[in-house]
Amino acid sequence: HNLFDELYGHTIKLVDNYLYIVRGYENCELIIVDITDINDLRIVSRIDTPYGIIQFVVVSGDCAVLSSNNHIYCFDVSDPENPEHIGGWHSDDEINNITASDEFLYLAAGETGIIALDISDPEDIQTAGFYNTDGFARDVLVGRNLIIVADDTNVGIYENTLLDTPSHSNQGDYPEGFVLYPAFPNPFNSTPTISFFHPTFSPVKVSVYNTHG
């Protein structure tokens, strides 16, 4: 069954009985279609999104997340007939793709690598963590407690330690979830790689000592 010709779009997402369509480029719309009866498709709402070119849409719980090159926009879709813009987040780096899992949104953010956002409260989006991948991060998938990243150098598979940390509502003023991974290769050669995870953007100092300190 074809939708009306006007409902062309360049990014779509299907969740339960609702199809989310982002139509247009400079003057975008978020269109929600009830597809319960494929012989009687029904547009339940459409809302202008005057935020520039929207590239991606994902839905997590009652939140529909739209992404432009450098910004995240969250809409409350608990009532699909009356979506409401409730929050956003700005990225200094280009957002190349997004995916969501539970209360976290994951961004493939170019030179920065992977950025994880806590969207449990879409009106107050917080950075939950990040990982600087080897190359320019272009795509990201999440599943089986793993984060899979495609960048310019390889496809990397990383353990998703966010699933083991307390939710944002339980966090205090101190960062939690720091992980230091074993050096690779081990024993060292002339160019070892030391990977680490920190749940907040902050300066990090890494010191390497030999057996004599």
Side-chain angles (χ1 to χ4, degrees):
H1 189 97
N2 291 326
L3 295 176
F4 304 109
D5 291 341
E6 65 178 301
L7 292 190
Y8 64 88
H10 68 282
T11 182
I12 59 177
K13 191 72 174 182
L14 178 64
V15 179
D16 299 326
N17 292 320
Y18 292 100
L19 179 65
Y20 297 80
I21 304 171
V22 174
R23 183 188 73 83
Y25 288 89
E26 294 183 359
N27 298 309
C28 294
E29 283 186 298
L30 172 63
I31 303 169
I32 304 178
V33 181
D34 185 342
I35 63 168
T36 303
D37 182 355
I38 62 172
N39 294 312
D40 184 24
L41 302 177
R42 185 172 63 93
I43 299 174
V44 298
S45 63
R46 56 195 312 164
I47 183 172
D48 291 333
T49 59
Y51 313 119
I53 299 175
I54 300 297
Q55 297 177 300
F56 310 105
V57 57
V58 298
V59 179
S60 178
D62 291 333
C63 183
V65 181
L66 281 62
S67 170
S68 65
N69 284 338
N70 296 95
H71 210 89
I72 296 295
Y73 308 94
C74 291
F75 288 81
D76 182 351
V77 291
S78 55
D79 178 3
E81 297 189 5
N82 295 285
E84 180 184 2
H85 179 226
I86 55 174
W89 186 87
H90 178 76
S91 171
D92 291 331
D93 292 289
E94 179 181 358
I95 300 172
N96 295 298
N97 215 330
I98 62 176
T99 190
S101 178
D102 298 324
E103 61 184 19
F104 295 107
L105 182 72
Y106 302 85
L107 319 179
E111 297 292 347
T112 295
I114 296 303
I115 300 174
L117 302 179
D118 183 344
I119 58 172
S120 57
D121 180 2
E123 297 184 30
D124 184 26
I125 298 173
Q126 299 289 325
T127 302
F130 72 99
Y131 185 83
N132 189 4
T133 56
D134 292 336
F136 190 91
R138 297 192 178 276
D139 201 359
V140 56
L141 296 173
V142 176
R144 292 178 49 195
N145 298 333
L146 301 174
I147 301 174
I148 304 174
V149 183
D151 64 29
D152 286 344
T153 64
N154 58 46
V155 174
I157 301 178
Y158 307 93
E159 181 183 0
N160 190 354
T161 56
L162 288 176
L163 301 180
D164 299 324
T165 59
S167 64
H168 174 66
S169 60
N170 293 328
Q171 291 181 358
D173 295 329
Y174 299 96
E176 297 183 47
F178 174 79
V179 176
L180 178 64
Y181 295 97
F184 177 84
N186 190 7
F188 279 12
N189 61 18
S190 59
T191 56
T193 298
I194 301 175
S195 300
F196 62 90
F197 173 90
H198 196 286
T200 60
F201 284 104
S202 63
V204 174
K205 180 180 178 181
V206 177
S207 300
V208 180
Y209 300 89
N210 62 19
T211 55
H212 300 288

